[in-house]
Amino acid sequence: MGEVKVIGSSKSLFCARVEWALKLKGVEYEYLEEDLLNKSPLLLKHNPVHKKVPVLVHDDKPIAESLFILEYIDERWKNYPLLPEDPYERAMARFWAKFADEKCVMGAFAAFRKEGEEREKAIESALESFTFVEKQIQGKKFFSGDDNIGYLDLVMGWIPLWLNAMEEAGGMKLMDAQKFPSLHEWTQNFVEIPLIKECLPPRDALVNYFNLSLSYIRSMAAAKQ
Amino acid sequence: MGEVKVIGSSKSLFCARVEWALKLKGVEYEYLEEDLLNKSPLLLKHNPVHKKVPVLVHDDKPIAESLFILEYIDERWKNYPLLPEDPYERAMARFWAKFADEKCVMGAFAAFRKEGEEREKAIESALESFTFVEKQIQGKKFFSGDDNIGYLDLVMGWIPLWLNAMEEAGGMKLMDAQKFPSLHEWTQNFVEIPLIKECLPPRDALVNYFNLSLSYIRSMAAAKQ
């Protein structure tokens, strides 16, 4: 099926979902760790528009944007389907994936980097978004709706570890087991899957990364004032 | 195949693409015009998350987000395929559709509503985005790559009329035939298609709508100061 490469960063939650998908499908790939502070000519060549990871390179043809990479992987390798078969269920999975990335990931990042009253507003808004996601997982073990994780589980897969590390570094709490009991239970089900557990980065490294990011953001903000 | 309804607005470029897709497929549907200043209980019921048009309702099951509606239509009604068959080409179509919505549509709106130096910056950024799109259409009649319009043509379908009306109301020029000769040629090819031409809203109504929108935006900004 041709040579598969992933240009990624071990700190990026958007890259983890791509590696999980390839592993679930049993696709062999070469992983190329990108230094995001000093981007490689290979990344700039393969993603000249956004200059971001992840990029999947299959037979020298690059694909950017993690959600579209997941769809590509699912269409190219048919074993272990990630998206549901039914068109309506597929539309719902796409809708919630986009919602999660735009509202929950971006909402958590906003809460993480802002201060004072702006932070409070960002936290409130992120919590509102997680409330919608909580409703989606109620009564289910996985977002896929069955006993195997699928597309939407991979997309939400940043919550157990990345969000947790971001919360520690940022001194905030979004994923509260009392507020979001079903989502909390899902995080536990998700990280118990051996394939997922095996390729989670060390928590300390992530906390350290978010601490450094926050210092950088604060110093840039201070320099502007 | 069940009852199909579109909750839309005749002024919305995101709704036009959905109606075009249904017409290309020959799907009969009921169109429900939404008053965006006084949203209906039906819209709020069917799109409680974003409260936006378009919403496609098929057999009482709602789908929001125009790009996902197009994918749903293409998966549910197989005649006249909108997306390419090849997984790599499909990934590219999805990539450029998202890019066009996030960078070109949003860039044009930003240029339209901003003033002074901010407007200049927004125009520059929008032009940069259109330069990427120009490269995608070079040497082709349609974005689909053949003689029939497809998914990406429908997504870009706002350029000939909506962008033009926005330019007139906003007193700006983005779609310059000199700067973007291939894209300009495409706009002419696109609106010559009878099915597209027949369901374009009257240009005057759109210009009027954008004029009113701009007055509203300016009055809100003035009230804030």
Side-chain angles (χ1 to χ4, degrees):
Chain A
M1 284 296 290
E3 196 183 41
V4 179
K5 292 178 189 171
V6 175
I7 308 175
S9 159
S10 57
K11 308 299 186 301
S12 160
L13 65 94
F14 299 106
C15 295
R17 55 177 71 158
V18 169
E19 290 198 78
W20 289 330
L22 290 169
K23 283 174 198 282
L24 282 170
K25 298 268 188 182
V27 177
E28 300 271 331
Y29 62 94
E30 183 186 353
Y31 176 77
L32 304 166
E33 176 77 13
E34 186 67 26
D35 176 359
L36 297 178
L37 295 177
N38 182 22
K39 292 178 180 176
S40 71
L42 190 74
L43 175 64
L44 302 181
K45 177 187 160 197
H46 283 321
N47 190 1
V49 178
H50 301 303
K51 305 175 180 71
K52 285 181 180 169
V53 292
V55 179
L56 182 85
V57 189
H58 187 196
D59 272 338
D60 287 323
K61 292 196 285 188
I63 304 166
E65 298 271 6
S66 67
L67 297 182
F68 303 148
I69 295 175
L70 292 186
E71 296 236 20
Y72 175 81
I73 291 171
D74 208 30
E75 291 177 358
R76 188 62 89 183
W77 293 279
K78 301 284 188 187
N79 64 312
Y80 197 102
L82 297 174
L83 278 145
E85 204 178 331
D86 174 70
Y88 186 76
E89 295 303 319
R90 292 166 73 84
M92 289 303 101
R94 289 178 181 127
F95 177 89
W96 288 110
K98 181 170 188 258
F99 178 85
D101 276 6
E102 287 183 357
K103 302 290 181 179
C104 298
V105 175
M106 291 307 141
F109 272 122
F112 169 72
R113 71 169 180 271
K114 290 186 174 172
E115 293 178 282
E117 201 183 319
E118 279 196 332
R119 160 174 284 208
E120 294 312 310
K121 273 191 194 164
I123 288 177
E124 197 182 320
S125 169
L127 290 176
E128 201 182 318
S129 300
F130 278 112
T131 304
F132 279 109
V133 175
E134 168 75 7
K135 280 186 196 148
Q136 293 305 306
I137 190 66
Q138 266 167 12
K140 296 187 213 168
K141 182 174 181 189
F142 294 119
F143 285 96
S144 62
D146 60 37
D147 279 345
N148 294 315
I149 54 170
Y151 170 79
L152 200 47
D153 295 285
L154 300 185
V155 173
M156 303 290 181
W158 65 286
I159 296 175
L161 182 61
W162 277 261
L163 178 57
N164 183 272
M166 214 186 287
E167 287 174 335
E168 179 169 332
M172 60 177 190
K173 192 75 192 164
L174 294 173
M175 192 41 50
D176 185 311
Q178 306 282 311
K179 272 194 196 108
F180 307 111
S182 303
L183 195 49
H184 179 74
E185 202 182 317
W186 170 86
T187 63
Q188 295 181 315
N189 293 332
F190 185 75
V191 295
E192 267 173 26
I193 296 166
L195 183 144
I196 299 297
K197 198 187 280 184
E198 281 161 25
C199 50
L200 287 174
R203 188 176 179 280
D204 288 355
L206 269 191
V207 174
N208 191 34
Y209 168 74
F210 284 120
N211 273 326
L212 285 172
S213 300
L214 201 54
S215 305
Y216 179 76
I217 291 164
R218 296 274 184 269
S219 68
M220 292 299 283
K224 262 193 180 175
Q225 281 171 353
Chain B
M1 284 297 290
E3 196 183 40
V4 179
K5 291 177 188 172
V6 175
I7 308 174
S9 160
S10 58
K11 308 299 186 301
S12 161
L13 64 94
F14 299 105
C15 295
R17 56 178 70 157
V18 169
E19 289 199 78
W20 289 332
L22 290 169
K23 284 176 197 282
L24 282 170
K25 298 268 188 182
V27 177
E28 300 272 331
Y29 63 95
E30 183 185 353
Y31 176 78
L32 304 166
E33 177 76 15
E34 186 67 25
D35 177 359
L36 296 178
L37 295 177
N38 182 21
K39 293 177 181 178
S40 71
L42 191 74
L43 175 64
L44 303 180
K45 177 187 161 198
H46 283 322
N47 190 2
V49 178
H50 301 304
K51 305 175 180 69
K52 285 182 181 169
V53 291
V55 179
L56 182 85
V57 188
H58 186 195
D59 271 338
D60 287 324
K61 292 195 285 187
I63 304 166
E65 298 269 8
S66 67
L67 297 182
F68 304 148
I69 296 175
L70 292 186
E71 296 236 19
Y72 175 80
I73 291 171
D74 208 31
E75 291 176 0
R76 188 62 88 182
W77 293 279
K78 301 283 188 188
N79 64 311
Y80 197 103
L82 297 174
L83 278 145
E85 204 178 332
D86 175 70
Y88 187 75
E89 296 304 318
R90 292 167 73 84
M92 291 301 102
R94 290 178 181 127
F95 178 88
W96 288 111
K98 181 170 188 258
F99 178 85
D101 276 6
E102 287 184 357
K103 302 290 181 179
C104 299
V105 175
M106 292 306 143
F109 272 122
F112 170 71
R113 72 169 181 271
K114 291 188 174 173
E115 292 178 282
E117 201 182 319
E118 279 196 333
R119 160 173 283 208
E120 294 312 309
K121 272 189 194 166
I123 288 177
E124 198 181 321
S125 169
L127 290 175
E128 201 182 317
S129 301
F130 278 113
T131 304
F132 279 109
V133 176
E134 168 75 8
K135 280 186 197 149
Q136 294 305 307
I137 191 66
Q138 266 168 11
K140 296 187 213 168
K141 183 174 181 188
F142 294 120
F143 285 96
S144 62
D146 60 37
D147 279 344
N148 294 315
I149 54 171
Y151 170 79
L152 200 48
D153 295 285
L154 300 185
V155 173
M156 303 288 181
W158 64 287
I159 296 174
L161 182 61
W162 277 261
L163 178 57
N164 184 272
M166 214 186 287
E167 286 174 336
E168 180 169 330
M172 61 178 190
K173 192 74 191 163
L174 294 174
M175 192 41 50
D176 186 309
Q178 306 281 311
K179 272 193 196 111
F180 307 111
S182 303
L183 196 49
H184 179 74
E185 202 182 317
W186 170 84
T187 63
Q188 295 181 314
N189 292 333
F190 185 75
V191 295
E192 267 173 26
I193 297 167
L195 183 145
I196 299 297
K197 198 188 279 184
E198 281 160 25
C199 50
L200 287 173
R203 187 175 178 282
D204 287 355
L206 269 191
V207 173
N208 192 33
Y209 168 74
F210 284 120
N211 274 324
L212 286 172
S213 301
L214 201 55
S215 305
Y216 179 76
I217 292 164
R218 296 274 183 271
S219 68
M220 292 299 283
K224 262 194 180 174
Q225 281 170 355

